[in-house]
Amino acid sequence: MEEPNDPISRPLGTTEQNWVRAVVGGTGITVLALLLSPPPDLSLLRTAIHGLQNTHPILRSSLSSSSVYTPPPSLSPLIEIESFSLASTSDLLHSLSSPDPPHLPFLHLLLERELNRNPWSNSTSGQVLFTTHYELPNLKSVLVLRLHTVACDRTSAVAMLKELPEMLRGAGAEWDEEKTPGLAVESMIPTRRGDKPFWARGLDLVGYSLNTMRWAHLEFQDVGAPRCTEVIRMQMGAEETRTIVEGCKARGIKLCGALAAAGLIAAYSSKFKHPDVAQTENYSIVTLVDCRKLLDPVLDNRNLGFYHSAILNTHSISKGEKLWDVAARCYNALSNSIDADKHFKDMGELNFLMCKAMDNPGFTPSGSLRTSFMVLFEDPVIEDGSLESCSGLGLEDYMGCSSIHGVGPSMAVFDTIRDGRLDCACVYPSPLHSRKQMMDLVGNMKNVLISKGE
């Protein structure tokens, strides 16, 4: 089949349109930051990234507020790598570093910088992919891929991480190229799985709206100052991770249930430190479900784009709750929602509420734009031998997550089990929440997980 000579465009789905709107305010910038040693040959790296663009049309596309516009490779403007020399990076890191603890690693600092670089802040249109290369001391460097979330959800980012070394080795040319970007998720919901009677849709919309009035939130530190996204990294050893994963398997639940429970217990204890307090609090948890294998037609992980759907559940938490009891409640609520196809049936309602929160910040607590306490993923990214498989890149470490300082949760957890060790990027809006506040919260979560809430 010959390559088309004319650009291809398609309308954005409702979920994609919401991300286009949200990214202007600072939510929806996906960043994959890679620590490399030794620094790569930039000409080879540029060729590899161009290979990714040619293989995946969405990466060479331009967005408007209503459509995605994709020219064929022969007409596509290929992305150039923005490069910072060692001296420029050193000056930049000096400006980013805080004199107060914690003193963050270079990879962490540069990840946060990229999460807050928003080329879409003044316009909803433009390219979806930006790349930056920072030289570091000791023959190291950091390569950053920064993408619009319309083009790249977490699954897409992992797929790109796996494909980039193959492109560097020239193997990418052997793969079949996609001719067009995939359809929007709403266009691929299997027949009848997203159907809901009109009145049921209206009642659910009212129910979601009323429930927000009952939700508890983390204490807000500064609701008026301009916001940015910051990250706390939570890492565990192999034995700690094995114990948690085996505990989940023994109870027939997934890791997301344990992470949600630890977050709820930590949030409650941060609010009620006095032992005599026995108040019950209701927190909202959003779980993102990767729909690729549930769509019609079925997609695989190499189909880049945004194909997650959200499930919103409210959970009550009281004094003295145990990790596994809360984890079972959280996971059972999620499992029941999936069995009822709520990730498809409630997609429109949750998109509508997200849109209304952006339009009317005053409807959210303290004008914070917080739509939930916590966002999690149904399944973690599991990477065995991840660094070895990327030996062509010289990959030593990496972090990946998305920005949330516009509309969004108080914390989003991007969890990976990497070579048997749990590694979570816990993302939050600052200074709405302070780094110390969130370090304490994440530290308490880790303690709850390790001690199993006992």
Side-chain angles (χ1 to χ4, degrees), residues 3-4 50-62 69-79 127-129 177-181:
E3 179 183 292
H50 292 170
L52 284 177
Q53 284 186 276
N54 287 334
T55 301
H56 301 287
I58 191 69
L59 297 181
R60 61 176 187 267
S61 299
S62 295
Y69 167 92
T70 308
S74 59
L75 300 179
S76 298
L78 296 176
I79 298 303
Q127 67 193 56
V128 300
L129 170 65
E177 295 184 359
E178 302 167 19
K179 298 302 181 184
T180 61

Side-chain angles (χ1 to χ4, degrees), residues 9 14 21 167 260 263 284 291 333 345 425 450 454:
S9 65
T14 304
R21 296 187 60 195
M167 290 291 178
S284 57
C291 296
K345 291 181 178 179
I450 292 173
E454 298 170 356

Side-chain angles (χ1 to χ4, degrees), residues 32-235:
L32 183 62
L34 315 175
L35 178 63
L36 308 177
S37 178
D41 183 313
L42 287 186
S43 63
L44 293 178
L45 186 59
R46 186 179 298 109
T47 299
I49 292 173
H50 292 170
L52 284 177
Q53 284 186 276
N54 287 334
T55 301
H56 301 287
I58 191 69
L59 297 181
R60 61 176 187 267
S61 299
S62 295
L63 295 174
S64 71
S65 59
S66 60
S67 64
V68 55
Y69 167 92
T70 308
S74 59
L75 300 179
S76 298
L78 296 176
I79 298 303
E80 292 301 316
I81 300 174
E82 182 184 12
S83 184
F84 287 80
S85 66
L86 179 59
S88 298
T89 304
S90 296
D91 291 341
L92 182 61
L93 290 170
H94 180 74
S95 67
L96 295 173
S97 298
S98 170
D100 302 318
H103 302 299
L104 300 176
F106 294 158
L107 177 66
H108 194 139
L109 288 171
L110 293 173
L111 172 80
E112 288 190 354
R113 177 179 191 262
E114 292 286 333
L115 285 168
N116 296 291
R117 299 182 71 190
N118 191 349
W120 304 282
S121 60
N122 296 318
S123 174
T124 58
S125 63
Q127 67 193 56
V128 300
L129 170 65
F130 296 84
T131 59
T132 311
H133 180 258
Y134 300 90
E135 291 186 16
L136 295 176
N138 302 318
L139 294 178
K140 298 180 186 292
S141 68
V142 170
L143 172 67
V144 178
L145 305 179
R146 175 165 35 96
L147 302 104
H148 198 299
T149 296
V150 165
C152 184
D153 58 11
R154 187 178 66 156
T155 302
S156 299
V158 174
M160 290 175 63
L161 177 62
K162 292 180 178 179
E163 288 185 29
L164 191 54
E166 299 299 323
M167 290 291 178
L168 279 170
R169 289 192 287 267
E174 301 173 4
W175 297 343
D176 291 334
E177 295 184 359
E178 302 167 19
K179 298 302 181 184
T180 61
L183 297 174
V185 64
E186 291 89 351
S187 302
M188 305 174 73
I189 296 175
T191 303
R192 290 187 293 278
R193 291 192 67 178
D195 293 349
K196 184 191 289 188
F198 174 80
W199 291 112
R201 194 171 297 279
L203 287 173
D204 283 346
L205 190 59
V206 172
Y208 278 130
S209 300
L210 293 177
N211 280 338
T212 62
M213 301 177 184
R214 303 188 299 116
W215 292 345
H217 292 271
L218 293 181
E219 180 182 354
F220 301 135
Q221 306 289 296
D222 187 340
V223 297
R227 288 175 199 156
C228 64
T229 290
E230 293 181 350
V231 181
I232 304 294
R233 191 174 189 181
M234 181 178 75
Q235 295 175 292

Side-chain angles (χ1 to χ4, degrees), residues 324-350:
W324 294 120
D325 294 336
V326 181
R329 295 205 308 266
C330 290
Y331 182 69
N332 289 338
L334 173 65
S335 181
N336 291 337
S337 296
I338 293 175
D339 290 343
D341 286 331
K342 290 181 76 66
H343 48 306
F344 291 139
K345 291 181 178 179
D346 290 4
M347 193 180 292
E349 287 87 328
L350 294 180

Side-chain angles (χ1 to χ4, degrees), residues 235-270:
Q235 295 175 292
M236 293 188 183
E239 183 61 27
E240 294 168 338
T241 302
R242 184 186 64 79
T243 300
I244 295 165
V245 171
E246 288 184 353
C248 291
K249 288 181 178 179
R251 293 163 177 84
I253 65 177
K254 292 186 176 182
L255 178 62
C256 62
L259 290 173
L264 292 170
I265 292 170
Y268 183 90
S269 63
S270 71

